[in-house]
Amino acid sequence: MSDKIIRAVDLKKHFKGHEIKALDGVSADIRRGEVVVVIGPSGSGKSTFLRCLNMLETPTDGKIYLDGTEITSPKTNIKTFPPFVFFNGVGGFGNFLYKFLVQGGHFLFAD
């Protein structure tokens, strides 16, 4: 098992055909237990990047790996991943970060 829990490779997200390039070749490796902050000016693609990482947006091109599995592959059914622990008021990405960065990818259930 790799220490890279999330890996984005040459991620691209274009809107209106290819007129608007929200992401244009973004790559990042996030290691187990690492805390990452995405900062930048308004309109620089921060939210689009996070939405692509959690597959709320489908990237135009590039690859995303979650714990070694390419989740951008059409062959990968991301619905088969075990369920997360969900905490109200934290939001989807907050739950995602807690799951993989704090818990190290082990799936638990909480009331």
Side-chain angles (χ1 to χ4, degrees):
M1 181 183 305
S2 173
D3 67 332
K4 296 175 185 169
I5 194 72
I6 302 169
R7 185 164 199 220
V9 180
D10 199 26
L11 209 57
K12 296 178 177 137
K13 180 62 181 175
H14 301 166
F15 297 98
K16 294 187 179 182
H18 288 280
E19 185 179 327
I20 299 173
K21 296 179 179 180
L23 302 175
D24 197 24
V26 176
S27 295
D29 289 331
I30 302 172
R31 290 174 169 70
R32 199 174 303 279
E34 187 173 43
V35 176
V36 177
V37 178
V38 180
I39 59 173
S42 179
S44 63
K46 302 176 302 291
S47 295
T48 302
F49 178 59
L50 295 176
R51 290 177 60 82
C52 285
L53 286 181
N54 62 23
M55 296 303 290
L56 291 175
E57 288 280 354
T58 303
T60 303
D61 198 8
K63 296 179 181 179
I64 301 170
Y65 298 88
L66 178 61
D67 206 15
T69 301
E70 184 189 345
I71 62 171
T72 47
S73 170
K75 296 178 182 178
T76 302
N77 181 357
I78 61 173
K79 292 180 183 178
T80 62
F81 279 85
F84 291 106
V85 175
F86 286 101
F87 295 101
N88 290 331
V90 177
F93 195 68
N95 277 291
F96 174 83
L97 287 177
Y98 179 81
K99 176 83 209 117
F100 283 97
L101 300 180
V102 176
Q103 292 181 338
H106 298 286
F107 294 93
L108 303 171
F109 292 93
D111 294 305

